[in-house]
Amino acid sequence: MKTLDRKLLRDLWKMKGQALAIALVIASGVATYVLLISTMNSLTQTRERFYQEYAFADVFGSLKRAPEGLRTRISEIPGVAQVETRVSAEVKLQVTGFPEPVTARIVSVPDFGSPLLNRPYLRRGRMVAPWRDDEAVVSEAFAEAHRLGPGDAIGAVINGRWKKLRIVGIALSPEFVLQVRPGALSPDYKRYAILWMGRHGLGVANNMDGAFNDLSLTLTAGAHPDDVITRLDAILAKYGGLGAYARKDQMSHRFLTEEFRQLQRSADIFPAIFIGVAAFLLNVVVTRTISTQRDQIAVIKAFGYHNWDIGLHYMKLVALIVILGIAAGLGIGAWLGRGLGNIYMEFYRFPYLNYEVQPSVAAKSAAINLLAALSGALLAVRRAVNLPPAEAMRPEPPAEFKKTFMERLVPQRILSQPTRIIMRNIERRPVKALLSVIGISMACAIMVAGRFSKDAVDYMVEIQFRQTQREDMTVTFVEPTSRKAVYEMKRVPGVEHAEVFRSVPVVMRFGHRSYRTSIRGVEPGAGLHLLLNEQLRVITPPRGGILLTDYFRTILGVHPGDLLTVEALEGNRPVLQVPVAGMINQFIGLMGYMDLDALNRLMKEGSAISGVYIAVDSLRRPEIYRRLVEMPRVAGTLVREDEIRNFYETQAEALLFFTMVATVLAATIAFGVVYNSARIALSERGRELASLRVLGYTRGEISYIFMGELGFLTLAAIPVGFLVGKGISVYIAKALESDLYRVPVMIDSWTYSFAAAVVALSACISGLIVRHRLDHLDLVAVLKTRE
Amino acid sequence: MGREAGGALNTKKVFQAQGLTKVYTMGAVQVHALRGVDLDLYEGELVVLLGPSGSGKSTLLNILGGLDTATAGEVTYRDHNLTSAADNELTEYRRQHVGFVFQFYNLIPSLTARENVAVVTEIASTPMKPEDALAIVGLGDRLDHFPAQLSGGEQQRVAIARAIAKNPMVLLCDEPTGALDSATGVVVLEALERVNRELGTTTVIITHNADIAGMADRVIHLSNGLISDIRANETKKAPHELHW
Ligand SMILES: Nc1ncnc2c1ncn2[C@@H]1O[C@H](COP(=O)(O)OP(=O)(O)O)[C@@H](O)[C@H]1O
Ligand SMILES: [Mg+2]
């Protein structure tokens, strides 16, 4: 080993505390990046493989009913490769020992051979036998939730008729990787299932023998989904088509894509913060190291070492720290990634997860970190390298001090001498003080941004589920029904209040933009299902207009006063012009709201309703559930409490994971910045502080001078961190908003307090470690050594 | 390398300086550290550079050693023109030809005595072994001591070993005894004298201590940036004969 390299290792050992603190920050950045990107890539690749091997379709459509013969016409649409027709039905299930309402989507599979598209992956058991109408394959998540397996039986109400189904297999499907009920925001494995049944049996039960009500198709290479969809919609319109959509709008696929987008977005932000902080710390530490080694550099140069030898020497020092950090970060990132992958696998149902840290991800992260860190250090090293050796031999000139700005503002006698020293020190190096503040504030920001999604969820639940949707249950009917059905509901013992609604699937058009959704007709004076305007005040749809979710401004570009074109996809499919009367606040989904009578009139359908909101006596729930299952016209029941619980339960684990990671990372940054600042301050000012001790200042007093500065910087950093954290949250929320959901940026005061506490605590701990050294300053030695 | 006794000089010139001027500009103030120095140094001689503090001794030595450049005038080392040399060439010149000894030793604290010497021998073309260099200065038994474990005199002798270990043509010493008591100073000077005598290295020793001048072949007086006197010693004293 070269002698200079030996020096390097010994120098590194001497500054191991600082080196470790920096390596930790780098490790955090690398780990975060690897964690997020590797999880995302692994999930994406797994998804792609699953899609490919199990023939996930490109375009999907559903309709009321069409003869099987239509298939040929559809397959003749230019750009269509394969078409598969299916029978699909929403049914109620009865699971023994589970009295709550359960709904399921049943999808048909061919009686012979396997499906062309969206093939189920059979985990256990077998597919249904040909012509059997009492066998079903059940989705894995549901089966697990109820501990069901092949051989068990469940009850199903198919098209109003109760039927006992024998489970013959457990399966997964590319179509239902995330198994969410339409309209829900989170999966509910206990109350929503996917079932596969033979085409013949299911067809007969649903009056679809020789007909279909669902189809999916794949496209030829280069075909445009939009063109195909336009033609498909035209063909299906006559058969009650509900609007075809491309894979990108398929629910399960959408949810996955959104989640990946969030991972990507986080991967864009958080590692960059760590890299910035690490580069700053390296710059500070290398600057300090070099300034204490000025004379060593001079002597090495005097003996004929070249500038680049010196540069390389210090760059190696930096590289060692960085590589240590990167190695640790890769390890930690891969470990955490596996953990996160497993958490995701709880609700993303893939046959397997191919988790791996792609070498390119590791390489990219390593390269970016190394580059950033080296350039952070380079500035410091370059100054040292360019110092003429004769000059480097002389000690650095004493720093210039002035009376500070703050001192001139505040009368002299208020400030003690130590306080003045603190202020002069901060003002003497304003840039460094500022960078320290920014560094520490990043810790605080990470905490805030890391926990913001939890606060957002709380706020969404509060607004959406407690202030607007006050109904205990939403009961939907199989078909639009006469208003009289509400009396039937009210007669159920335990139902205290009922309000009706009509829901019509529509396509909304404004200008050249269109969006497929539904319009809900509600009655004036509703007390259960309320609408809030953008100021969160209760609002009722006027008779002559429609209220739209505020996000339609972005999606369609409509504003109150505009005339919206609404194309109903039900009944006689009227096309209407409706004035936009106002906007409503809604975080989940996109919808239109109209007065029930007005909607009925526009649909030319008399007084039809699609469902009922009910308030119930919670003690009588089991009985109500039983009655609802028995009512033939009831298609399904949504229970608000379940929705809220699901919402939290499905997110809880991931949320806890991210909060924990964010806390550790924030503490790392806070610790890294404060510890390094403290160590450097100690090395720069040890003599000064020791001199003060010799002059009779107490340990407490010099600790105050020393720690006061760091304390001041930390306190200044916390509010800055709040702002930056909120900024990051807004950025993430903005980037993620879509028609699926909009995340409100409402940060809880508890989150702010928690962030401040983590930062302050990390600062205190690192301060105390350094203070320990300060208390043991060897006065004589410090004064004797030459700086 | 032949040497004539009694202070008679070898006629081979190592350094030739003409009209060397050095002006430091510090804001509005100009400090004339050298005001036109003409000087020749010969092969194998031991020169003592005497003068009060601030007279320009270090400045002159630094220019001769290629650590600094002159504002005006010319200086050559054998056939190298140091005045017009680029930074890289000066580095190369220092690496191949010059050994330095500084007042405050300037050892690298994280390296042992042996390693401090090795730092230099590793980049030299015809070095001696670090152990041999340390033996010359009488520190053969202190090889693995760190600077903090050595006395001031020992540290300075390590610095001398480091300076001579590459077998330099010239040895430039800036107040090598300045931080030492006289007894220790004598030991250090003996080491320098021995190197000069046995290896024939042209040696320049800066001091503001006139007593040390006795060991020189020639004594050059500097005052206020100018050479005020050059005197050859009739008889050289051995360092142990010096007292201050
Ligand atoms: N880097 C510098 N900047 C400004 N003035 C300098 C610098 N180096 C030396 N001087 C000045 O030049 C003069 C000569 O200095 P120096 O050669 O160090 O003297 P000596 O070594 O004889 O004590 C002094 O007045 C000193 O203050
Ligand atoms: Mg001097």
Side-chain angles (χ1 to χ4, degrees):
Chain A
M1 194 179 359
K2 283 280 182 58
T3 309
L4 273 189
D5 294 336
R6 213 167 291 168
K7 163 182 179 312
L8 190 103
L9 291 182
R10 288 186 193 142
D11 287 348
L12 192 62
W13 182 247
K14 216 180 138 212
M15 56 192 277
K16 54 186 176 298
Q18 283 164 281
L20 213 62
I22 297 174
L24 265 179
V25 173
I26 293 169
S28 303
V30 173
T32 317
Y33 184 78
V34 168
L35 160 70
L36 296 171
I37 296 290
S38 72
T39 307
M40 188 188 74
N41 285 354
S42 302
L43 286 171
T44 311
Q45 277 170 16
T46 305
R47 182 177 79 168
E48 285 320 309
R49 259 183 69 182
F50 190 30
Y51 281 2
Q52 198 145 44
E53 289 170 10
Y54 291 85
F56 189 42
D58 293 320
V59 172
F60 303 80
S62 52
L63 53 147
K64 211 164 161 54
R65 186 180 200 277
E68 184 61 22
L70 197 64
R71 206 193 108 114
T72 325
R73 255 183 78 197
I74 293 167
S75 58
E76 279 161 4
I77 296 174
V80 171
Q82 285 178 302
V83 183
E84 183 158 63
T85 62
R86 298 189 294 195
V87 174
S88 167
E90 187 93 7
V91 304
K92 284 182 287 185
L93 291 188
Q94 272 184 324
V95 183
T96 330
F98 188 74
E100 297 175 38
V102 178
T103 49
R105 156 109 355 226
I106 306 189
V107 183
S108 70
V109 289
D111 286 290
F112 292 99
S114 61
L116 274 180
L117 304 175
N118 308 313
R119 281 197 286 275
Y121 166 91
L122 200 60
R123 183 80 93 186
R124 287 161 61 201
R126 57 168 172 86
M127 289 308 288
V128 288
W131 311 112
R132 294 297 295 256
D133 64 352
D134 59 350
E135 288 186 355
V137 171
V138 176
S139 57
E140 185 190 54
F142 178 76
E144 278 177 4
H146 291 286
R147 298 172 190 282
L148 295 172
D152 291 330
I154 45 172
V157 182
I158 302 175
N159 201 16
R161 276 186 298 273
W162 195 89
K163 200 167 178 54
K164 188 172 158 185
L165 296 176
R166 218 161 60 83
I167 298 173
V168 296
I170 306 296
L172 306 170
S173 158
E175 222 178 337
F176 305 105
V177 171
L178 188 69
Q179 192 180 302
V180 258
R181 180 205 319 248
L185 196 61
S186 35
D188 184 341
Y189 303 137
K190 271 198 143 72
R191 298 172 191 84
Y192 186 66
I194 306 295
L195 263 56
W196 288 268
M197 284 180 67
R199 169 81 180 258
H200 179 75
L202 191 63
V204 169
N206 283 286
N207 307 323
M208 291 277 170
D209 204 13
F212 66 94
N213 65 355
D214 181 285
L215 86 160
S216 43
L217 52 85
T218 51
L219 301 174
T220 55
H224 239 283
D226 288 346
D227 301 341
V228 174
I229 287 170
T230 310
R231 288 171 194 244
L232 186 60
D233 279 343
I235 295 176
L236 294 181
K238 253 206 305 225
Y239 302 94
L242 288 169
Y245 50 91
R247 179 191 279 193
K248 70 173 176 32
D249 292 318
Q250 201 264 350
M251 264 303 150
S252 160
H253 181 84
R254 260 308 292 273
F255 272 104
L256 288 175
T257 307
E258 291 296 325
E259 188 68 39
F260 297 165
R261 214 149 64 90
Q262 183 161 6
L263 288 174
Q264 175 72 58
R265 196 52 65 161
S266 306
D268 288 343
I269 297 175
F270 292 107
I273 293 178
F274 287 100
I275 291 173
V277 171
F280 159 64
L281 289 181
L282 280 170
N283 178 282
V284 172
V285 168
V286 171
T287 302
R288 181 59 198 159
T289 306
I290 283 171
S291 94
T292 56
Q293 298 192 352
R294 257 170 88 96
D295 56 335
Q296 297 181 36
I297 295 170
V299 96
I300 291 171
K301 286 180 89 166
F303 280 105
Y305 276 86
H306 286 278
N307 286 350
W308 47 265
D309 292 324
I310 313 266
L312 198 67
H313 178 67
Y314 287 103
M315 286 315 221
K316 272 190 203 162
L317 183 78
V318 173
L320 270 180
I321 297 175
V322 177
I323 287 168
L324 185 74
I326 290 174
L330 290 178
I332 298 169
W335 179 66
L336 288 177
R338 197 169 288 280
L340 184 59
N342 287 335
I343 290 178
Y344 276 125
M345 285 298 278
E346 290 273 306
F347 42 112
Y348 294 161
R349 294 293 169 150
F350 291 111
Y352 45 79
L353 174 65
N354 242 341
Y355 180 78
E356 57 167 1
V357 177
Q358 298 77 12
S360 65
V361 172
K364 189 174 160 197
S365 170
I368 292 175
N369 271 279
L370 201 59
L371 223 69
L374 287 179
S375 49
L378 192 65
L379 293 172
V381 171
R382 218 181 44 185
R383 222 174 316 135
V385 163
N386 289 336
L387 215 55
E391 197 168 317
M393 206 75 72
R394 275 185 296 274
E396 270 183 293
E400 265 184 61
F401 281 91
K402 290 196 293 263
K403 280 201 175 180
T404 63
F405 177 69
M406 278 183 277
E407 280 177 83
R408 269 174 269 135
L409 280 183
V410 185
Q412 286 287 315
R413 62 207 143 68
I414 295 182
L415 299 176
S416 67
Q417 191 59 42
T419 306
R420 259 177 263 161
I421 296 178
I422 291 176
M423 288 189 168
R424 285 183 197 168
N425 256 303
I426 291 172
E427 285 204 16
R428 183 167 65 89
R429 299 249 198 89
V431 175
K432 194 174 142 194
L434 188 74
L435 286 175
S436 298
V437 167
I438 292 176
I440 300 171
S441 75
M442 286 305 161
C444 193
I446 284 180
M447 280 305 300
V448 172
R451 286 186 52 91
F452 121 84
S453 62
K454 156 143 182 42
D455 293 351
V457 165
D458 285 345
Y459 185 75
M460 281 161 95
V461 166
E462 171 63 25
I463 296 289
Q464 188 102 9
F465 289 120
R466 299 204 200 280
Q467 293 195 22
T468 40
Q469 303 178 13
R470 300 178 181 197
E471 69 275 7
D472 293 321
M473 298 176 198
T474 307
V475 179
T476 47
F477 298 142
V478 176
E479 272 184 324
T481 312
S482 150
R483 275 199 67 124
K484 287 186 199 121
V486 74
Y487 301 115
E488 188 189 354
M489 294 306 310
K490 282 183 173 163
R491 274 201 302 276
V492 175
V495 171
E496 292 173 340
H497 188 61
E499 286 172 8
V500 301
F501 67 87
R502 172 79 173 101
S503 189
V504 179
V506 297
V507 175
M508 294 183 181
R509 296 185 198 283
F510 185 73
H512 60 281
R513 291 188 257 186
S514 67
Y515 187 78
R516 207 171 58 94
T517 175
S518 64
I519 294 179
R520 224 160 239 217
V522 291
E523 285 188 307
L528 291 181
H529 197 88
L530 304 180
L531 303 178
L532 299 182
N533 68 8
E534 288 167 293
Q535 287 73 45
L536 298 184
R537 267 187 225 107
V538 176
I539 181 174
T540 3
R543 299 211 126 231
I546 187 170
L547 296 178
L548 295 179
T549 308
D550 44 10
Y551 195 63
F552 270 118
R553 287 184 209 273
T554 312
I555 286 275
L556 290 182
V558 282
H559 295 275
D562 290 337
L563 209 55
L564 184 72
T565 305
V566 174
E567 205 180 300
L569 300 176
E570 217 178 75
N572 298 323
R573 302 173 77 98
V575 179
L576 316 158
Q577 305 280 325
V578 189
V580 177
M583 300 309 228
I584 58 161
N585 180 294
Q586 190 181 337
F587 300 120
I588 303 167
L590 288 188
M591 239 194 246
Y593 286 90
M594 289 179 73
D595 179 80
L596 177 59
D597 288 341
L599 182 60
N600 281 160
R601 220 170 320 112
L602 287 175
M603 291 294 293
K604 301 190 173 68
E605 62 184 6
S607 69
I609 59 172
S610 310
V612 190
Y613 301 121
I614 54 178
V616 301
D617 174 355
S618 57
L619 291 176
R620 309 184 79 158
R621 272 168 193 258
E623 200 181 334
I624 298 170
Y625 290 148
R626 197 169 43 77
R627 291 287 295 271
L628 288 175
V629 173
E630 285 164 5
M631 287 183 197
R633 70 163 107 245
V634 170
T637 307
L638 267 178
V639 179
R640 184 183 63 155
E641 287 307 317
D642 294 342
E643 285 212 69
I644 298 175
R645 189 155 10 90
N646 278 326
F647 203 51
Y648 280 117
E649 269 177 12
T650 49
Q651 306 213 19
E653 216 175 333
L655 213 58
L656 191 69
F657 180 85
F658 279 118
T659 303
M660 239 171 51
V661 171
T663 308
V664 172
L665 297 186
T668 309
I669 287 201
F671 183 85
V673 175
V674 176
Y675 181 74
N676 268 300
S677 310
R679 285 302 303 271
I680 285 168
L682 186 66
S683 114
E684 281 176 352
R685 297 171 55 201
R687 274 165 76 80
E688 177 193 337
L689 297 173
S691 313
L692 288 175
R693 290 269 286 120
V694 171
L695 295 179
Y697 276 74
T698 62
R699 286 205 170 121
E701 279 162 334
I702 63 162
S703 288
Y704 169 66
I705 294 177
F706 182 69
M707 311 288 278
E709 183 180 336
L710 289 168
F712 178 84
L713 296 181
T714 306
L715 287 184
I718 287 173
V720 178
F722 289 166
L723 279 178
V724 176
K726 175 136 192 186
I728 295 174
S729 306
V730 168
Y731 175 76
I732 293 178
K734 266 267 163 260
L736 292 181
E737 71 178 19
S738 72
D739 54 328
L740 278 186
Y741 52 84
R742 277 76 55 199
V743 181
V745 182
M746 293 303 252
I747 296 168
D748 204 69
S749 55
W750 201 83
T751 293
Y752 284 130
S753 322
F754 186 59
V758 168
V759 171
L761 197 70
S762 320
C764 283
I765 292 173
S766 50
L768 284 178
I769 294 175
V770 180
R771 193 196 144 142
H772 179 77
R773 290 175 166 261
L774 193 64
D775 284 347
H776 295 86
L777 270 185
D778 181 344
L779 301 185
V780 181
V782 168
L783 293 181
K784 248 176 25 188
T785 52
R786 200 178 65 95
E787 259 276 293
Chain B
M1 216 169 291
R3 292 192 73 194
E4 293 141 67
L9 297 171
N10 187 327
T11 47
K12 238 185 182 164
K13 286 176 189 172
V14 180
F15 286 105
Q16 281 182 286
Q18 266 121 41
L20 268 193
T21 308
K22 180 70 183 181
V23 183
Y24 291 109
T25 309
M26 296 202 307
V29 189
Q30 287 202 326
V31 179
H32 292 260
L34 297 178
R35 302 163 184 271
V37 169
D38 300 322
L39 178 68
D40 293 332
L41 295 180
Y42 299 94
E43 199 172 274
E45 70 172 337
L46 194 157
V47 172
V48 164
L49 207 54
L50 262 185
S53 185
S55 57
K57 305 182 296 292
S58 294
T59 305
L60 177 60
L61 196 81
N62 287 345
I63 293 173
L64 292 179
L67 287 178
D68 208 346
T69 47
T71 312
E74 191 163 294
V75 58
T76 55
Y77 164 79
R78 295 178 195 268
D79 48 357
H80 299 279
N81 187 335
L82 298 183
T83 341
S84 61
D87 184 57
N88 238 356
E89 296 170 273
L90 286 181
T91 302
E92 214 41 49
Y93 157 66
R94 294 197 300 268
R95 177 186 285 232
Q96 300 305 336
H97 304 282
V98 192
F100 289 100
V101 179
F102 305 104
Q103 180 178 358
F104 294 108
Y105 336 133
N106 291 73
L107 297 179
I108 294 169
S110 53
L111 297 180
T112 61
R114 190 206 317 255
E115 288 162 352
N116 261 289
V117 178
V119 163
V120 174
T121 55
E122 276 170 10
I123 57 165
S125 43
T126 54
M128 38 177 125
K129 293 208 333 228
E131 294 78 6
D132 296 344
L134 284 162
I136 291 177
V137 297
L139 287 176
D141 56 345
R142 291 282 198 280
L143 297 177
D144 295 318
H145 286 56
F146 283 94
Q149 300 165 325
L150 296 169
S151 72
E154 287 169 333
Q155 287 185 54
Q156 191 61 300
R157 281 187 282 155
V158 174
I160 292 170
R162 176 176 66 181
I164 60 168
K166 67 163 91 158
N167 279 316
M169 301 307 294
V170 291
L171 191 54
L172 304 175
C173 315
D174 194 344
E175 307 206 29
T177 59
L180 302 174
D181 62 75
S182 74
T184 318
V186 166
V187 178
V188 166
L189 291 176
E190 272 174 341
L192 288 173
E193 192 270 343
R194 184 167 162 212
V195 169
N196 172 257
R197 180 160 39 81
E198 290 181 1
L199 305 178
T201 314
T202 307
T203 305
V204 181
I205 300 172
I206 286 182
T207 176
H208 54 256
N209 185 340
D211 295 318
I212 292 175
M215 67 182 282
D217 291 312
R218 288 197 301 157
V219 182
I220 298 172
H221 284 262
L222 215 61
S223 65
N224 208 9
L226 281 169
I227 291 178
S228 55
D229 179 37
I230 301 182
R231 179 167 51 79
N233 274 335
E234 290 292 309
T235 50
K236 276 167 73 173
K237 283 189 190 157
H240 64 86
E241 298 172 89
L242 305 171
H243 298 287
W244 70 89

